[in-house]
Amino acid sequence: MTSRGTPSRFLKSVLQNGVGRYVCQLKRISIVFSRKGQSSLGVRDFIEEGVVDYAKKNPGTVVYVSPQPKSLPKIVAEYLNGNIREECIKNKTSQEVLEVLTKLTNQSGLDVIRIRKHFHTDSPSIQGQWHPFTNRPPSVGPISPQHPRRKED
């Protein structure tokens, strides 16, 4: 927490993601819905039409479809870092369910918070910070006091 009262942190990459190959942080999706509920109509349409396509596009993510009687439809996303997110998809269309799934797939599992700086390093330089006079030519030299001239007699 900062003095503003909102949580913040430095920018960081999850598991150095993107340094080598990209690793999707989403490991498991559970789609919970009701077989007969009106609020699950769009979810049932998505399961009939688009869940196989989603699973083919995301082979690293396990997709579970679990019908539960008299339950509100929701998507439970589990990430590699152990975080779990739940999104309510009550009364959403098939396209809106796909948008929610895509959003959850593209996230890292970390909480969305304010970034303090747009840069951060795990191994700061031991040479110190750069400033405009770092590479100044030595001929210019620092400003030094003038020596008084001696009068020649």
Side-chain angles (χ1 to χ4, degrees):
M1 294 283 262
T2 62
S3 60
R4 294 182 185 179
T6 59
S8 68
R9 65 174 154 85
F10 291 108
L11 182 65
K12 66 179 179 178
S13 174
V14 178
L15 301 175
Q16 301 297 324
N17 210 359
V19 174
R21 68 180 181 94
Y22 174 74
V23 178
C24 182
Q25 296 297 299
L26 182 64
K27 69 175 180 180
R28 186 178 303 136
I29 284 281
S30 300
I31 303 173
V32 180
F33 67 101
S34 172
R35 288 187 184 189
K36 297 179 182 177
Q38 184 65 28
S39 62
S40 297
L41 184 62
V43 181
R44 290 192 301 268
D45 289 342
F46 175 75
I47 290 170
E48 290 175 6
E49 300 168 3
V51 76
V52 175
D53 293 335
Y54 174 80
K56 284 181 182 177
K57 288 180 185 174
N58 301 290
T61 304
V62 180
V63 180
Y64 291 109
V65 177
S66 59
Q68 294 179 356
K70 298 182 181 179
S71 66
L72 287 175
K74 64 181 175 181
I75 296 176
V76 181
E78 298 178 39
Y79 293 92
L80 289 175
N81 60 5
N83 287 353
I84 297 174
R85 299 244 172 147
E86 288 190 13
E87 289 279 336
C88 181
I89 48 175
K90 179 179 176 182
N91 296 326
K92 294 203 185 269
T93 63
S94 177
Q95 183 62 32
E96 291 171 338
V97 171
L98 179 61
E99 289 172 5
V100 170
L101 274 175
T102 305
K103 180 188 81 163
L104 290 171
T105 303
N106 293 335
Q107 290 181 346
S108 64
L110 297 173
D111 294 331
V112 178
I113 60 174
R114 186 175 61 85
I115 302 295
R116 287 188 197 168
K117 297 180 184 175
H118 297 289
F119 57 90
H120 180 71
T121 179
D122 292 332
S123 54
S125 171
I126 59 170
Q127 298 173 350
Q129 224 175 6
W130 181 90
H131 55 81
F133 302 108
T134 299
N135 298 319
R136 185 175 176 182
S139 62
V140 175
I143 299 174
S144 59
Q146 301 268 336
H147 296 293
R149 293 185 148 187
R150 293 187 349 185
K151 289 185 183 181
E152 294 181 21
D153 291 319

